Amino acid sequence: VSHFTALDITHAACAFAELRLRHTSLLHALAARAVEDRVLASFSPGDFADLLWAFALLGVHDPPLLSAAVQRLQDEVFLASLKAREIANVVWALAQLEVDDERVLLLISKRCIDPDILPHFEQQDIAKVGWAFTRVGVPHEVLMQGMPESAIQQATFSRHPSSPIKVQDL
C-alpha cells in the first residue's frame, strides 16, 4: 500500500465497497496512505468523493481520513471543483459516518445552491443531500428550499415515461 497513488487507493477501496468486504485493517492502511500530504493533494475531486463513499458504504470510520476530508472541503477551490454527483456522495458519506462539522456543511450547502452547480443535481443527488443534512441534524433552510425550486424549473423527473413526478412530489 505504501506505493499506492490516489487513484490506486480509490480503486482498492471502491472494489472492497462494491463487494461489501469490510477488511478494516486494509482500509485503515489505505486511509493512512491517502492522508499523506503529497497523496491527499493528488486526489481528483471524483476520486476523493468515491473514497469517502467507499468508507461510508462499509461503515469504516477512520478519524484521520475524516479530519483530512473536512480540511480539504474547507478549500473553496477544491469544493468548487466537485460536480453535483460528487457533492451528493461526499455529503452522504459524511452523514453516514456521522461527521457533523457545521462549517463544512454550510460551505457544502452554499455550493449546492450555486447557480453553476444546482441545475446539474439529479433526483437521486437531491435525495442524498436532503437525507444527509437531515441525518446530521443541520438543516439548511436555503438549501432545502433552493434545491427543489431549481430542480423543478430545470427538469421533470419520471419513474415511468407515462407518470412524471416533480421534486415537490417526493
Side-chain angles (χ1 to χ4, degrees):
V1 177
S2 64
H3 66 280
F4 275 25
T5 65
L7 186 59
D8 296 333
I9 293 165
T10 300
H11 284 173
C14 287
F16 277 86
E18 289 289 338
L19 296 170
R20 305 302 193 265
L21 295 174
R22 195 171 187 264
H23 192 298
T24 54
S25 59
L26 177 60
L27 290 163
H28 287 299
L30 291 171
R33 174 71 175 149
V35 299
E36 292 176 16
D37 288 339
R38 201 177 72 247
V39 177
L40 184 63
S42 69
F43 274 93
S44 72
D47 291 340
F48 177 79
D50 289 346
L51 178 66
L52 293 178
W53 169 86
F55 273 74
L57 185 70
L58 294 170
V60 176
H61 192 274
D62 187 273
L65 177 63
L66 296 175
S67 177
V70 165
Q71 194 169 30
R72 186 91 163 130
L73 290 165
Q74 291 178 27
D75 176 350
E76 289 184 30
V77 173
F78 180 77
L79 186 57
S81 68
L82 291 170
K83 297 176 184 168
R85 175 65 44 94
E86 295 162 351
I87 292 169
N89 286 341
V90 164
V91 76
W92 176 85
L94 294 176
Q96 190 71 15
L97 294 169
E98 299 178 349
V99 175
D100 61 355
D101 186 294
E102 287 189 43
R103 181 167 186 252
V104 166
L105 293 171
L106 178 61
L107 290 171
I108 292 171
S109 68
K110 287 179 180 178
R111 175 68 177 137
C112 287
I113 61 172
D114 183 302
D116 292 333
I117 194 77
L118 189 54
H120 301 285
F121 278 94
E122 294 181 14
Q123 180 180 4
Q124 184 179 8
D125 303 328
I126 293 168
K128 278 184 182 179
V129 170
W131 175 86
F133 276 89
T134 302
R135 167 125 186 195
V136 295
V138 184
H140 189 269
E141 290 77 17
V142 175
L143 171 70
M144 296 301 151
Q145 292 171 2
M147 285 189 75
E149 179 181 325
S150 173
I152 291 165
Q153 291 173 2
Q154 296 295 323
T156 299
F157 302 108
S158 66
R159 292 181 209 172
H160 184 273
S162 65
S163 62
I165 59 169
K166 294 191 172 148
V167 174
Q168 78 257 24
D169 297 329
L170 297 176

